[in-house]
Amino acid sequence: MELQQSSYSSRDLLVPVVSVILALLAGSVFILIVGENPVAAYRVLFVESFGSVRNIATTLQRATPLMFTGMAVAFAFRCGMFNIGAEGQLYVGAIVAAIVGVSFANLPRLIHLPLAVLAGMAAGGVWALVPGILKAKLGVHEVINTIMMNFVAYYLTDYLVTGPFHGGRWAPETDRVFPTAALARIFPPTRLNSGILLALVAIGVVYVILWKTRTGYEIRAVGLNPTAAEYGGISVSRNMILAMGISGALASLAGVEQVLGVHGRFIQRFSPELGFVGIAVALLGKNHPVGVFFAAILFGALRTGGAAMDRLTDVPRELVVIIQAMIIMLVAADELTRGLLRRRRTV
Amino acid sequence: MWAYITYFVNATVLAAALRMATPLIFTSMGGIFSERSGVINIGLEGMMLTGAFMGMLVTYYSGTPWVGLLGALASGAVMGLIHAVASVRYKVDQVVSGTAINIFAVGFTVFMLRTVFDVAGTSPAVPRIQSITLPLISRIPVVGEIIGNQNPMVYMALALVVLVHVFLFRTVWGLRLRAVGEHPKAADTVGINVFQTRYIAVIASGALAGLGGAYLSIAHLSRFGDGMTAGRGFISLAAMIFGKWTPFGALGASILFGFADAVQMRLQEVGIPRHFVQMGPYILTMIALAGFIGRATPPKAIGKPYEKE
């Protein structure tokens, strides 16, 4: 797997684009199983995700959390670590944002909203520091620990949302956050909210950190070759811990955006695996903020179009989940994807 | 005080712990095969889920849960094959491949459930493998109550642990498998086919995870439900790690985690939130990995694709 592309070239675009096309082609087999026409079904998917301004707004809304989780995974990748715990980090960030959001009445918006956002970020960042520290100080593989911490986060938030912070309604959810903590809807009636502006800022900030600061240079150096970095006077453990913290903070923003901008409250197990789809987004986006932005829009469109396809045709929305899985596999197997291309050319 | 303890530790709870442990035992044995050969398998969850679905589906059409079990075994093996092709042949990052398999399984099972049965959430009921009563053993006090009347798959799981142990540590194939996971280059030098060994190990891994999933849908229950594995593949992974990649260790961890599962409702009754009990296996595994309770060290070559020179 290529973790370390620093910028895009047309060659780098080849594998992602071909992977998406191949995955859609393979997905058409499943559409045929259902007895629908793949061309017609994909037409619905495309029109419903990009066909009108309103549909585009919905697509962007679905893409917003994926920009955060995609960048979270990409950021850790840049330091040579696999953060498979974005899902847990976003839950922790979401519950903390919700708690702050329901707690302080009569706080001015200018204080309440940033407080909720920053508290969520901090919580997710600290959550991710744990596997970061265990990796840096004890050499424990971060993959297993981030997986384990996902489950701890699920059960912890299950407890909080059914126990101390259970709202007034029967359902396992908190009360609605005060309007002073809500991210404004910017294109009603869709649920697109100012969280997307936050995502754009985050994309810019991540780009600047990674390529315009000494810290970013060190993080990438550690990701490329930890031994060489250490010899060059860069602290591997310090950068690993830092990268995981930033990664966790980014992931938690996805949960913050869902709570403060979309649902208005924390709902038990609300996330449709946003953290895991973030892995797909990071891979497809080649771990670059700009790539992540476009990959997130693609996956947001798949989800928007998939829901419409479910409504308007016999094709279940889970088709897009299957397609997502195939995209991950094909992008990661770039040797296979390139090989297929070469074979096609020689025929 | 004694009454208090026996409320949590008694034959009924232990029998339930064994039932809860069974899918974990199958799947963690699968994990051992794959990881001992040097291939990380976080796709166990997806392989298990696929097995649970296909076990139900084949039972539905054949009318016989034992045939369904073969279906689950085969479908798990196919998922294992995909993981092997990706990570051994095409050198896809093993964690990425496992993630893709997990996501695929979620999409595939719900997609097929809705397509085949036109229902969302739960499949129709199918025949299940019925529990049996062991002659003689069931009459032994306490022990009989715990193991005397269980599902055949519970006994299969226990037998499997012994088989895997003997295979790994008492046969030449087991030695080769471990060699490939510890030091593939050395294994290659003495003529062991690293790729072939890993292929077989990962396929076996998927097959066993498929059985673990099928236990849920056609033995413990008699239907498939969306996401019914509910993280058990990951708990199995945790059991394998907590058991230090050994069959008996993983068995012990599976039973411990099964016990936590079985006792959580009773703990809830005395005011201990069950969510904290459910976190237990994961936190214990992290502590074990960090080396605080006897360091758990993975096979040396794990996660690294082998490149033949």
Side-chain angles (χ1 to χ4, degrees):
Chain A
M1 188 178 46
E2 293 167 44
L3 299 179
Q4 298 299 334
Q5 237 83 44
S6 60
S7 66
Y8 259 99
S9 70
S10 58
R11 209 183 68 103
D12 294 327
L13 277 174
L14 185 69
V15 168
V17 169
V18 171
S19 298
V20 170
I21 293 170
L22 286 176
L24 289 172
L25 282 175
S28 61
V29 174
F30 286 92
I31 299 176
L32 288 170
I33 291 175
V34 180
E36 289 270 354
N37 178 347
V39 177
Y42 281 140
R43 206 185 119 79
V44 169
L45 191 140
F46 184 78
V47 170
E48 293 296 319
S49 51
F50 290 113
S52 70
V53 178
R54 186 173 156 176
N55 292 347
I56 291 172
T58 304
T59 291
L60 288 175
Q61 182 251 311
R62 304 249 189 174
T64 306
L66 299 177
M67 291 178 193
F68 290 121
T69 56
M71 273 202 300
V73 178
F75 201 91
F77 265 146
R78 287 283 172 188
C79 195
M81 282 183 298
F82 201 150
N83 178 10
I84 200 166
E87 189 77 0
Q89 291 143 20
L90 80 84
Y91 270 108
V92 173
I95 192 81
V96 168
I99 291 170
V100 173
V102 299
S103 291
F104 307 95
N106 305 322
L107 219 57
R109 184 184 185 82
L110 213 58
I111 296 174
H112 200 181
L113 177 59
L115 186 67
V117 171
L118 290 173
M121 275 179 82
V126 169
W127 198 257
L129 278 182
V130 176
I133 291 170
L134 288 171
K135 164 89 171 183
K137 299 293 180 195
L138 296 170
V140 187
H141 204 310
E142 75 284 0
V143 165
I144 301 297
N145 278 334
T146 47
I147 291 176
M148 297 298 132
M149 287 192 72
N150 278 343
F151 286 92
V152 179
Y154 300 157
Y155 292 122
L156 180 65
T157 55
D158 282 353
Y159 167 72
L160 292 172
V161 78
T162 55
F165 295 99
H166 189 194
R169 301 202 301 199
W170 175 81
E173 57 189 31
T174 63
D175 282 323
R176 186 163 269 284
V177 298
F178 286 111
T180 46
L183 288 163
R185 296 280 169 89
I186 55 179
F187 199 86
T190 75
R191 300 191 290 180
L192 183 65
N193 60 75
S194 48
I196 192 162
L197 305 177
L198 205 57
L200 292 174
V201 170
I203 286 171
V205 169
V206 165
Y207 180 82
V208 169
I209 290 178
L210 280 176
W211 282 285
K212 304 288 173 205
T213 69
R214 170 146 190 94
T215 305
Y217 172 80
E218 291 194 358
I219 284 173
R220 287 185 293 119
V222 171
L224 277 170
N225 188 339
T227 320
E230 191 81 60
Y231 277 118
I234 294 169
S235 165
V236 172
S237 65
R238 184 185 155 275
N239 282 290
M240 279 183 167
I241 295 169
L242 184 66
M244 277 305 280
I246 293 175
S247 175
L250 286 167
S252 64
L253 280 173
V256 170
E257 185 266 347
Q258 293 283 292
V259 165
L260 303 181
V262 176
H263 304 300
R265 61 178 92 232
F266 184 95
I267 301 170
Q268 186 179 22
R269 308 280 181 122
F270 66 84
S271 164
E273 309 221 303
L274 294 168
F276 296 103
V277 181
I279 297 169
V281 170
L283 286 171
L284 191 64
K286 289 271 172 182
N287 301 316
H288 191 283
V290 176
V292 164
F293 173 77
F294 287 108
I297 289 177
L298 174 81
F299 283 102
L302 278 177
R303 294 174 48 82
T304 308
M309 203 165 56
D310 195 298
R311 236 176 20 248
L312 302 171
T313 75
D314 281 341
V315 182
R317 71 177 71 212
E318 285 72 24
L319 175 72
V320 305
V321 180
I322 294 174
I323 290 174
Q324 281 169 1
M326 290 193 290
I327 291 176
I328 296 180
M329 204 61 121
L330 288 164
V331 173
D334 54 356
E335 191 192 324
L336 168 75
T337 315
R338 284 180 209 277
L340 284 173
L341 272 185
R342 243 173 272 131
R343 216 165 290 165
R344 280 270 295 280
R345 274 189 207 130
T346 52
V347 169
Chain B
M1 185 62 195
W2 181 245
Y4 205 68
I5 292 171
T6 53
Y7 181 67
F8 297 110
V9 186
N10 58 50
T12 313
V13 172
L14 291 176
L18 206 50
R19 284 197 293 276
M20 297 303 193
T22 298
L24 311 183
I25 297 171
F26 275 107
T27 309
S28 60
M29 292 307 130
I32 288 173
F33 267 103
S34 178
E35 302 226 335
R36 280 281 185 170
S37 81
V39 180
I40 297 175
N41 192 352
I42 67 159
L44 288 172
E45 177 80 15
M47 297 172 183
M48 220 179 161
L49 189 63
T50 309
F53 176 80
M54 292 306 288
M56 176 281 297
L57 190 71
V58 175
T59 304
Y60 180 84
Y61 284 114
S62 69
T64 314
W66 290 102
V67 180
L69 204 58
L70 290 178
L73 182 105
S75 66
V78 169
M79 298 299 273
L81 175 67
I82 294 171
H83 187 42
V85 170
S87 59
V88 179
R89 167 71 182 84
Y90 288 103
K91 300 179 176 57
V92 171
D93 183 285
Q94 294 164 7
V95 176
V96 171
S97 171
T99 303
I101 282 170
N102 289 337
I103 294 177
F104 178 84
V106 170
F108 175 77
T109 53
V110 180
F111 184 96
M112 292 308 284
L113 184 67
R114 292 183 59 188
T115 303
V116 176
F117 298 105
D118 202 18
V119 294
T122 314
S123 80
V126 294
R128 72 183 184 96
I129 298 170
Q130 300 285 344
S131 292
I132 52 171
T133 303
L134 294 182
L136 296 176
I137 292 174
S138 62
R139 294 210 216 128
I140 305 170
V142 188
V143 175
E145 286 176 67
I146 299 170
I147 62 164
N149 182 22
Q150 290 279 15
N151 197 283
M153 283 194 80
V154 175
Y155 304 122
M156 285 165 61
L158 296 173
L160 178 69
V161 174
V162 178
L163 286 177
V164 174
H165 175 83
V166 170
F167 174 84
L168 270 183
F169 299 108
R170 297 278 182 276
T171 70
V172 66
W173 302 295
L175 180 68
R176 285 177 188 159
L177 181 84
R178 287 183 291 130
V180 164
E182 293 289 333
H183 209 314
K185 194 163 282 174
D188 196 357
T189 313
V190 297
I192 300 169
N193 187 331
V194 175
F195 296 113
Q196 191 189 340
T197 307
R198 287 189 173 172
Y199 262 97
I200 294 170
V202 178
I203 291 169
S205 177
L208 291 175
L211 291 181
Y215 171 81
L216 298 171
S217 63
I218 57 174
H220 191 62
L221 298 175
S222 51
R223 51 170 53 82
F224 174 85
D226 285 355
M228 81 183 304
T229 47
R232 284 187 183 81
F234 290 112
I235 299 192
S236 305
L237 196 73
M240 173 197 73
I241 296 166
F242 197 64
K244 299 185 175 135
W245 288 267
T246 66
F248 284 108
L251 170 70
S254 296
I255 292 175
L256 177 68
F257 297 168
F259 176 74
D261 206 357
V263 85
Q264 51 163 317
M265 285 324 233
R266 287 172 191 240
L267 287 168
Q268 175 99 347
E269 286 165 24
V270 297
I272 299 169
R274 65 189 160 87
H275 302 113
F276 291 100
V277 184
Q278 288 170 312
M279 284 177 207
Y282 304 104
I283 295 176
L284 279 178
T285 301
M286 290 180 70
I287 294 172
L289 271 172
F292 296 121
I293 36 176
R295 179 128 207 194
T297 316
K300 279 199 193 64
I302 203 157
K304 298 181 201 112
Y306 183 64
E307 308 259 8
K308 208 170 164 72
E309 279 156 14

